[in-house]
Amino acid sequence: MKEKERLSDITWKKWGPYVSNREWGTVREDYSPDGKAWTYTNHDTAEAKTYRWGEEGICGICDDFQKLVFSVGFWNKKDQMVKERFFGLSNKQGNHGEDVKEYFYYLDGTPTHSYMKMLYKYPQNAFPYDDLIRTNAERSRQEPEYELIDTGIFDQNEYFDIFIEYAKEGQNDILVKLTVVNKSEKEAPLVILPTVWFRNTWNWGYNDYKPQMNSEDVQIIKINHKELEIKNLYASQSEKVLFCDNETNNERLYQSSNASKYTKDGINDFVINGNSQAVNPKDFGTKASFFIDETFKAKETKVFEFRLSDKDLQHPFADFEAAFSLRQQEADEFYSDIQCGIRTDDEKMVQRQAFAGMLWNKMFYHYNVEKWLKGDPGEIPPPKSRGKIRNSGWKHLNNEHIISMPDKWEYPWYATWDLAFHTISFSLIDPGFAKQQLKLFLFEWYMHPNGQLPAYEWDFSDVNPPVHAWAVFRVFKIDEYLNQKPDIEFLESAFQKLLMNFTWWVNKKDHNGNNIFEGGFLGLDNIGVFDRNAPLPDGEHLEQSDGTSWMAMFALNMMRIALELALYNNIYEEMAMKFFEHFLAIANSLDNMGDECFSLWDEQDEFFYDAIASNDGSHMYLKLRTIVGLIPMFAVEVIDDEMIEKLPNFKARMNWVLENKPELAALVSHWEVKGDESKHLLSLLRGHRLKRLLSRMLDPGQFLSDFGVRALSKEYEDNPYTMTVNGTDYTVKYTPAESDSGMFGGNSNWRGPIWFPINFLIIESLQRFFFYYSPDFLVEFPTGSGKYSNLDEIADALSHRLSKLFLMDENGKRPFNGQYPRFQTDPDFKDYILFYEYFHGDNGRGVGASHQTGWTGLIAKILMPRFSKKQIAESETEMPEKSRQEKK
């Protein structure tokens, strides 16, 4: 199979969709004295300002170091500017934070980017920039967002469907096809501007080499860069070629002199205003566009062809359709193999678009914190205050890689715990990339010397849940199953660095050295009663049920990795034992804190809660039922007798601990009680506690929604939770969709909606518990129904509920599309899938970032056929002994 063969050749990935959808408003481009990144660069200045660290564009591609960028601009002859980038509101402008206000869809893609396809819907009337800004500003946090479709701009079908496709003839030979469809009953004009430019690397004072482009033909742009093979951009049709430079228009933005006569916005100025002085009449520069001015008849479709190539071609479009057809056929073959066993065409379509979203959300991410703090030799030094604003403790961090982003418009910067979930989906189509992404964050130019992993550029020191070890082992096992051999080198190298990260957690996030972990923010934004990052008055601190449970999970993940490595090198038996004892110590602390032996498990309510610890050693529960109380389920591991028998040293030491420290052994599920097929269970939950948690989680009046598990109990919809701390009243209400508070920017909500990462871990945990318990271990599902199911059946049912968000229901509707009838019924909208950041806790409407195919891309894994129980067992513990002996 051609695409699978190409995966072994890294050069096929040199070019890809690595261009950001938004570079403005990011921390790395912020050189302000106050750290207000959203205003230092914004959508209005983006047209004229040259960026330091990256580039943005519509459906853009670039090389893996972003030396050269290609994307497409459009003008409907009514807009105030060329559409060169997607428009959206900044965090301050949106009534629920930042938000893209465009409609575009990622439709297809292969892992080597040999074939890619997306759709952009471009209005034919003036884009309602001012209306979107003004109306959203007038709305409160209690009101919905004002979306592009609300403006009425699509009401008469006066828009273009623009399909953008790429097909690689070779590693440095890329065919581009634009299929433009006039959806209107009226004739409509469109200017098309295929644009190519060099990222500015010459202004910063390190290297003054300045590449150039030129043209002697209206259908060819010559590209000359000493480090690139690409040397021509061809157009099948073009009226003229426009040139300027990727240089800031200082006169326009700062009322100072320009370094170049033909600045970054020169092409825009020529197209919009007819200013011939804005483009270079000598036809050379560092940015260039073909100018194609077309008129489309009613309902007319036209195709435009372009080619970026390392060859000098007399007939660049002679084999164009044949090449495209071949790459499309290869993509179909690749996914036909991946999707073998998936039942319906609708499921296949949703999964394929999920994979496409994952692939299109790869991005070149460049950020050297030390240079950013100090400034560049060729530029004015940044204000001294910037070192006190953020990230001054991360001077070692130097990122310059292709990284999977959460959403290239809303979150065009990595988030470490998001990325861990991304790799699960990637491992199904490109396990090599999944492994590379996980290892990347363990390298010394990412991981802090003290062992902390960077969170995200707004504050690298923030703390995300420690799920990296879980992802490493999960990807390792998927890769082993797909390739029929274990990548022990990957697992071992990752384990060595994860040891440092585990040590950082133990040293930095255990307030009293008692194995109770605070963590702080932990990625759950506003889930708590108050900001969990903020210090409490009078020296109080928060003992976090989820922080402690995440660490118990981390310990078990590390133990399981060590056990796997010990099958090849018995020295790892000692490390496995270390993490076994760590897990027992954490389990002990969860139930026995301080002199009063306080437990985060409330025996009266039979639920896990956070607690406030006072200086006098007393504790007070925060009796708020959130998914924080469900996270102890994630700390679960099942090991069978056969593995233990192969590791005699681990077995002996483990038995000694369990026999000589019965107080620890009693805390976890009874290790000595063998489950189904002689398996042993390590978990924070014994059977009774598991059932009591599930009784809450599976209650439709609390956590269970038709579309998954909510982040907060629905009981707080009519009866909000209230508490008073030091004279201040705090209230938490069930809000199933957008946030009604400004905490963490107001664009994220954990007080009711359905979030994919937590639901995914719940499903996996239930499957692991089922792997230990027999099918006779039954739980009422849903709670109060009088019907009972085993844990595997419940996991499948939850998977089905998550899938229902995207799949067409009996009425032909997709719940994620929400309240807009057009999205549900119009054939030009209804089958294009958006993978939102989170989902309405009651009706499944998509909320938050609309292209967060990152962790919501887990739907691709959920839609995969389940392994049989025997296959799971073989994948977990039973790889052929021969391969292990060869490794030894």
Side-chain angles (χ1 to χ4, degrees), residues 230-463:
I230 295 273
K231 54 185 179 180
N232 292 301
L233 173 61
Y234 298 98
S236 60
Q237 63 185 91
S238 172
E239 297 175 29
K240 64 184 75 173
V241 185
L242 306 173
F243 284 88
C244 62
D245 285 312
N246 188 12
E247 302 275 2
T248 298
N249 189 337
N250 293 315
E251 290 181 2
R252 172 180 166 183
L253 297 181
Y254 311 118
Q255 294 76 53
S256 60
S257 60
N258 285 327
S260 169
K261 184 177 180 180
Y262 309 105
T263 54
K264 178 182 176 181
D265 56 349
I267 294 171
N268 177 86
D269 194 12
F270 174 87
V271 173
I272 301 295
N273 302 315
N275 182 7
S276 60
Q277 303 300 311
V279 293
N280 193 333
K282 295 183 179 180
D283 290 339
F284 72 87
T286 53
K287 178 180 177 181
S289 291
F290 291 119
F291 181 87
I292 304 167
D293 189 352
E294 288 287 315
T295 299
F296 289 76
K297 297 176 183 178
K299 300 293 185 180
E300 186 178 14
T301 298
K302 293 185 181 182
V303 177
F304 305 87
E305 299 171 345
F306 312 95
R307 185 169 187 168
L308 275 165
S309 184
D310 55 351
K311 304 177 182 67
D312 293 317
L313 301 169
Q314 290 294 318
H315 305 286
F317 302 102
D319 56 352
F320 196 87
E321 280 304 320
F324 252 98
S325 178
L326 178 61
R327 292 295 178 257
Q328 289 170 323
Q329 177 184 334
E330 291 167 353
D332 290 340
E333 290 173 352
F334 177 79
Y335 283 112
S336 177
D337 182 60
I338 295 289
Q339 296 182 326
C340 180
I342 294 182
R343 296 171 301 168
T344 69
D345 289 340
D346 198 33
E347 289 174 314
K348 291 177 181 178
M349 183 192 72
V350 170
Q351 189 195 51
R352 191 155 170 178
Q353 289 190 40
F355 284 133
M358 300 294 302
L359 292 163
W360 275 92
N361 267 324
K362 290 183 182 180
M363 193 181 95
F364 171 74
Y365 184 86
H366 187 25
Y367 189 19
N368 182 315
V369 172
E370 184 171 26
K371 287 183 178 179
W372 178 78
L373 288 168
K374 290 182 178 179
D376 299 309
E379 294 293 298
I380 299 172
K384 294 181 180 180
S385 59
R386 73 183 297 98
K388 299 177 182 179
I389 295 169
R390 58 172 61 94
N391 296 334
S392 60
W394 289 81
K395 294 178 182 178
H396 73 285
L397 190 136
N398 183 12
N399 303 164
E400 194 175 9
H401 292 91
I402 305 302
I403 303 176
S404 174
M405 296 291 129
D407 176 324
K408 288 199 302 188
W409 196 95
E410 194 114 8
Y411 304 114
W413 31 261
Y414 61 77
T416 303
W417 85 299
D418 294 55
L419 183 128
F421 293 103
H422 300 185
T423 62
I424 305 303
S425 300
F426 270 117
S427 67
L428 301 175
I429 55 173
D430 189 356
F433 180 75
K435 291 184 289 185
Q436 182 266 347
Q437 291 287 283
L438 288 166
K439 286 186 66 175
L440 195 62
F441 285 74
L442 300 172
F443 290 158
E444 56 270 21
W445 47 87
Y446 284 75
M447 175 187 274
H448 197 282
N450 65 17
Q452 184 179 9
L453 298 183
Y456 39 76
E457 67 178 32
W458 287 90
D459 185 358
F460 286 124
S461 294
D462 220 335
V463 183

Side-chain angles (χ1 to χ4, degrees), residues 764-780:
E764 284 214 337
S765 298
L766 290 175
Q767 290 168 348
R768 287 177 179 270
F769 278 115
F770 175 75
F771 192 43
Y772 170 76
Y773 289 113
S774 73
D776 296 332
F777 187 93
L778 301 175
V779 174
E780 190 178 22

Side-chain angles (χ1 to χ4, degrees), residues 50 72 126 160 171 213 276 340 366 392 396 412 427 429 511 532 556 582 708 713 723 824 846:
T50 300
V72 189
F160 294 104
Q171 293 94 323
M213 302 175 198
S276 60
C340 180
H366 187 25
S392 60
H396 73 285
S427 67
I429 55 173
H511 185 83
R532 301 199 301 172
L556 284 182
H582 250 301
S713 174
M723 73 171 299
Q824 300 285 15

